[in-house]
Amino acid sequence: MTNANKTTLAGLDLAAQSLVGRWRLVLGKDAEAAGVCLAGGAGGEDQQGAEQTLEFVYGEARGAGSAGSALSVPKWIDRVNELFPKQAREVLEREMIQRRGISEILDQPDLLDRIEPNVELVKTLLTHKDLLTPKTRVLARKVIDKVVEELRKKLEIRVQQAITGALRKDRHSPRRVFRNLDLRTTLRRNLRNWNDERRKLFVDRIFFYAAEKNKRPWHVIVCVDQSGSMLESAIFSAVMASIFAELPGVKTSLVLFDTQVVDLTDRVGAPVDVLLSVQLGGGTDITRALEYCSGLVREPARTIVVLITDFYEGRPEADLVRVVARLAGADVRMIGLGALGYDAQPQYNRQTAKKLRKVGMDILSCTPEKLAECMGQIIRG
């Protein structure tokens, strides 16, 4: 290819410069061979800086040379913050940690203050929490707290609407209080009274919701697998449990398990403390965890057990099927989640999950909002 045919940033309008620049970032070392070349002028310096930041992380995969090797982690973080938007920063920082390890960050705790807080960083910190120094632990807690708070703000309105709305509508009352009018049920139950000739609906019975304060609470038991593959789901579970705990008319229990069971109900309103208590690894005894949850049940028909696990049982599967069947047979509503989150790609034992579905457990892999909607449907009956 001749010089005349090569694409450079010089002489192009801004849109074309941006397009060429993006292709160059994608191609890396192969950009020159493809004729996608940098030139002096607008965007050139930033483009070179962006290339170096990518080579620092993806150098071998992109066939790059040593251009990114002159960067240190602190300089790289500064450059990423300067050159890339928030969403891209999160991806690049996640990749940097996964490919280059977290040791340098743990050795320089101030770097934690400069990395964009996100769920992937929280997962990394929790995975390596035993390596945290006292100073790094303080900073890690700040990062985890910020991410948890952002998740709470994102989720709580939708969750509250789904579940609180259902709580107000799960029972009817003979008390005729206008503000508690159940218009939908009133219309549905009186449709037989429709007079086609007069084009009017005659109502012979009006339905009202029960006053919320007079209703018995629902008990939500969140039971979370601590195995490493479930870490992202555990983060969302801790946040969701903290939201459930603040809902009127809901009692919330939080249980973590591997081969042992830990009841963290007393810390359900402090999701950061819950996450820092997670012990990753070890075996799995789902049956033991559900047997413990069974002991928490006081009113089965108003209890929902939310089990978050990969369904890989460490003891005979028949034991697990038996305890789920017993709970479901007692009118406890059972929800089993192979994953809970937005990006979670569930890798769970589908054969075991299928058997549990047959004996009464609803099996889902869903977003937190979808879980709340499912719980709302259960409460409405």
Side-chain angles (χ1 to χ4, degrees):
M1 181 177 289
T2 65
N3 288 338
N5 292 327
K6 290 186 177 181
T7 303
T8 71
L9 293 181
L12 296 177
D13 60 28
L14 290 178
Q17 289 176 18
S18 176
L19 180 60
V20 171
R22 291 183 182 183
W23 272 111
R24 186 171 175 85
L25 291 179
V26 170
L27 294 170
K29 182 181 179 181
D30 295 331
E32 297 290 342
V36 182
C37 305
L38 287 170
E45 185 175 342
D46 284 351
Q47 185 73 21
Q48 290 173 342
E51 282 196 46
Q52 285 187 334
T53 61
L54 292 182
E55 288 169 11
F56 185 80
V57 177
Y58 303 106
E60 293 183 3
R62 300 172 75 237
S66 59
S69 63
L71 289 176
S72 64
V73 170
K75 288 181 180 178
W76 182 87
I77 291 174
D78 290 338
R79 186 165 289 180
V80 167
N81 289 335
E82 177 185 348
L83 296 175
F84 292 90
K86 181 177 185 295
Q87 188 173 7
R89 290 201 303 269
E90 291 182 359
V91 173
L92 288 171
E93 288 167 354
R94 178 183 67 216
E95 290 292 313
M96 186 271 290
I97 290 171
Q98 289 179 347
R99 291 168 181 264
R100 301 181 69 94
I102 197 174
S103 58
E104 190 164 352
I105 292 176
L106 296 182
D107 289 340
Q108 303 180 63
D110 61 299
L111 295 181
L112 278 176
D113 272 338
R114 294 150 65 184
I115 294 180
E116 194 72 38
N118 56 74
V119 171
E120 289 298 327
L121 180 56
V122 170
K123 288 168 60 177
T124 301
L125 291 173
L126 293 176
T127 300
H128 298 279
K129 66 178 182 178
D130 292 339
L131 302 178
L132 298 176
T133 65
K135 182 177 180 180
T136 311
R137 182 174 291 274
V138 171
L139 293 172
R141 187 181 182 89
K142 286 173 58 180
V143 170
I144 297 171
D145 185 62
K146 183 174 181 179
V147 173
V148 163
E149 190 57 32
E150 288 177 354
L151 288 176
R152 276 183 59 89
K153 289 178 180 177
K154 179 178 182 179
L155 294 172
E156 62 184 348
I157 294 178
R158 291 281 299 277
V159 173
Q160 288 172 353
Q161 287 174 341
I163 296 180
T164 304
L167 285 167
R168 291 175 180 153
K169 300 176 181 180
D170 71 328
R171 291 181 61 202
H172 288 98
S173 168
R175 295 187 61 206
R176 303 169 68 86
V177 180
F178 179 74
R179 68 174 178 272
N180 294 334
L181 173 66
D182 181 355
L183 182 60
R184 179 176 296 181
T185 301
T186 298
L187 291 174
R188 187 176 68 250
R189 297 289 183 88
N190 288 281
L191 283 176
R192 66 180 185 276
N193 298 325
W194 171 256
N195 187 304
D196 195 51
E197 181 180 337
R198 300 176 65 178
R199 310 293 295 173
K200 288 185 179 180
L201 179 67
F202 292 90
V203 176
D204 59 18
R205 185 178 178 188
I206 301 176
F207 292 83
F208 297 86
Y209 297 124
E212 191 172 323
K213 65 182 180 180
N214 294 328
K215 293 190 293 185
R216 302 183 309 282
W218 278 81
H219 187 187
V220 177
I221 303 173
V222 182
C223 186
V224 186
D225 189 334
Q226 295 188 90
S227 60
S229 63
M230 300 301 299
L231 182 52
E232 182 165 335
S233 296
I235 293 170
F236 281 94
S237 300
V239 174
M240 290 290 281
S242 71
I243 297 173
F244 296 155
E246 295 181 357
L247 296 175
V250 174
K251 174 186 175 183
T252 304
S253 297
L254 178 61
V255 174
L256 271 58
F257 71 92
D258 41 34
T259 56
Q260 302 297 316
V261 178
V262 181
D263 192 329
L264 295 179
T265 300
D266 60 337
R267 284 184 265 179
V268 70
V272 177
D273 289 342
V274 170
L275 292 174
L276 289 173
S277 299
V278 170
Q279 300 294 327
L280 300 175
T284 306
D285 193 336
I286 309 172
T287 303
R288 183 172 187 172
L290 288 181
E291 286 175 340
Y292 179 85
C293 292
S294 177
L296 301 177
V297 176
R298 296 293 177 268
E299 193 171 354
R302 295 183 73 80
T303 300
I304 302 173
V305 175
V306 182
L307 172 68
I308 300 96
T309 182
D310 57 12
F311 296 101
Y312 285 99
E313 176 61 305
R315 66 156 74 180
E317 185 184 73
D319 293 347
L320 176 58
V321 174
R322 185 163 50 249
V323 71
V324 170
R326 175 165 55 81
L327 285 166
D331 289 335
V332 174
R333 290 303 301 264
M334 308 285 292
I335 300 176
L337 299 179
L340 178 64
Y342 294 106
D343 301 317
Q345 298 179 351
Q347 300 292 330
Y348 64 92
N349 189 329
R350 297 177 186 274
Q351 292 302 316
T352 298
K354 185 177 180 180
K355 292 177 183 179
L356 298 184
R357 179 185 284 116
K358 286 183 178 180
V359 296
M361 176 178 280
D362 295 324
I363 305 296
L364 307 170
S365 294
C366 62
T367 65
E369 292 90 345
K370 191 67 178 178
L371 172 60
E373 291 171 9
C374 177
M375 293 173 63
Q377 291 173 2
I378 291 173
I379 290 170
R380 287 188 185 92

